[in-house]
Amino acid sequence: MKREIEYRKYKRQDKKELTKILAEQIYNNFFEKEKDAQKYSRFILKRAIETCKYGKVAVIGEKIAGAIFGIKKDKSRFLSHLKRMVCYAQLKLRKKNREALKSLLLLDQMEQELLDKNNVDNEKLIVLFLMERRYERAEIQEALLAEWENVVSGQKDKRTWIVVNGRAEPEFLDRYHFQKVEEKSAIIQPKEQRFRFYKTLYRGRESTG
């Protein structure tokens, strides 16, 4: 039997599950120890919660399946940078984390360069799009994006922007007619293996809603 999906605003008690999803989606690939990946994921999630006006989650039963955070507030980049440096300083106490943090700082800078160069409006930016792995190809992605578009469609410029980690285009972007604008890459080695990591900027179609 198909389980009902609930879409609701983010709640404080969602933080633990979302931190786990974020770590599995990205940061377990950077840190040797799971607890360090969780710590960094908590920082990234907290930053999104504090700097975004929009936060919505998809829930199946009592489990979170995905979430979107976006529409950045006009907050000081200096304050965000300061909090990141505090997190980095704590994680740097473990020597093996230093290369991971160096790589993550580079990728963060790379993403910001993409946003600045293309004059991306923070009011239209999806900052975090999280999906629990087993639901990555389900209708939940599209439904979360549809909920987002309902908000963006009320604005003058209705195009959505998103930066994707990687080069392969997620299926939902194709279905929603997102266009690839630009990509940047860097060779990193957060653990033992050296590889090229891509950040790709996409622009959505103009909503007609």
Side-chain angles (χ1 to χ4, degrees):
M1 186 174 68
K2 195 172 182 180
R3 303 192 71 177
E4 186 177 347
I5 305 166
E6 176 192 359
Y7 299 96
R8 60 162 172 77
K9 288 184 179 180
Y10 163 81
K11 296 178 182 178
R12 185 177 295 179
Q13 58 263 37
D14 300 333
K15 191 178 292 185
K16 185 176 180 179
E17 276 191 80
L18 289 175
T19 296
K20 183 181 177 183
I21 291 171
L22 183 55
E24 290 175 350
Q25 188 170 308
I26 305 174
Y27 298 113
N28 283 347
N29 297 319
F30 284 82
F31 294 94
E32 294 281 348
K33 293 194 173 289
E34 190 175 309
K35 67 177 184 179
D36 291 333
Q38 292 266 339
K39 183 177 182 65
Y40 192 80
S41 297
R42 278 195 298 273
F43 158 69
I44 293 295
L45 180 62
K46 185 179 179 184
R47 183 172 69 177
I49 293 165
E50 290 178 349
T51 60
C52 294
K53 300 175 186 176
Y54 180 94
K56 209 150 200 178
V57 300
V59 182
I60 299 178
E62 296 181 355
K63 295 288 185 181
I64 294 176
I68 285 185
F69 292 90
I71 310 181
K72 290 183 78 173
K73 302 172 187 174
D74 292 327
K75 293 195 76 171
S76 169
R77 277 194 200 174
F78 173 75
L79 184 60
S80 178
H81 176 76
L82 186 62
K83 288 180 178 179
R84 182 177 63 198
M85 290 301 103
V86 171
C87 178
Y88 278 29
Q90 292 170 343
L91 286 168
K92 266 187 176 180
L93 294 174
R94 190 184 301 276
K95 190 175 181 180
K96 286 187 176 181
N97 287 340
R98 292 174 188 174
E99 197 60 40
L101 293 167
K102 181 181 174 182
S103 297
L104 287 166
L105 182 59
L106 173 63
L107 296 177
D108 212 25
Q109 292 170 342
M110 205 160 69
E111 180 170 328
Q112 192 58 54
E113 286 170 8
L114 279 173
L115 299 176
D116 290 343
K117 181 181 175 183
N118 291 281
N119 298 311
V120 173
D121 186 347
N122 284 337
E123 290 282 320
K124 318 298 183 307
L125 178 65
I126 294 176
V127 175
L128 272 183
F129 196 165
L130 305 178
M131 290 299 303
E132 215 275 345
R133 279 181 179 170
R134 63 182 142 163
Y135 301 116
E136 281 181 352
R137 295 185 180 275
E139 73 278 9
I140 297 170
Q141 287 178 322
E142 292 187 41
L144 277 169
L145 199 55
E147 292 275 332
W148 163 269
E149 284 204 329
N150 286 338
V151 175
V152 176
S153 65
Q155 302 179 18
K156 186 177 179 181
D157 179 359
K158 302 169 186 178
R159 290 185 184 273
T160 293
W161 297 83
I162 185 170
V163 177
V164 173
N165 291 307
R167 204 175 196 184
E169 182 174 306
E171 288 184 11
F172 75 90
L173 292 182
D174 183 53
R175 286 195 291 270
Y176 269 78
H177 307 290
F178 275 74
Q179 293 181 327
K180 183 177 176 180
V181 176
E182 188 179 351
E183 72 178 19
K184 280 182 170 288
S185 70
I187 294 174
I188 59 175
Q189 189 175 349
K191 292 185 181 179
E192 294 180 3
Q193 189 175 0
R194 200 162 177 252
F195 61 95
R196 185 173 290 277
F197 194 97
Y198 289 85
K199 288 274 187 180
T200 310
L201 177 65
Y202 289 89
R203 181 181 61 227
R205 66 184 178 187
E206 185 167 354
S207 172
T208 57

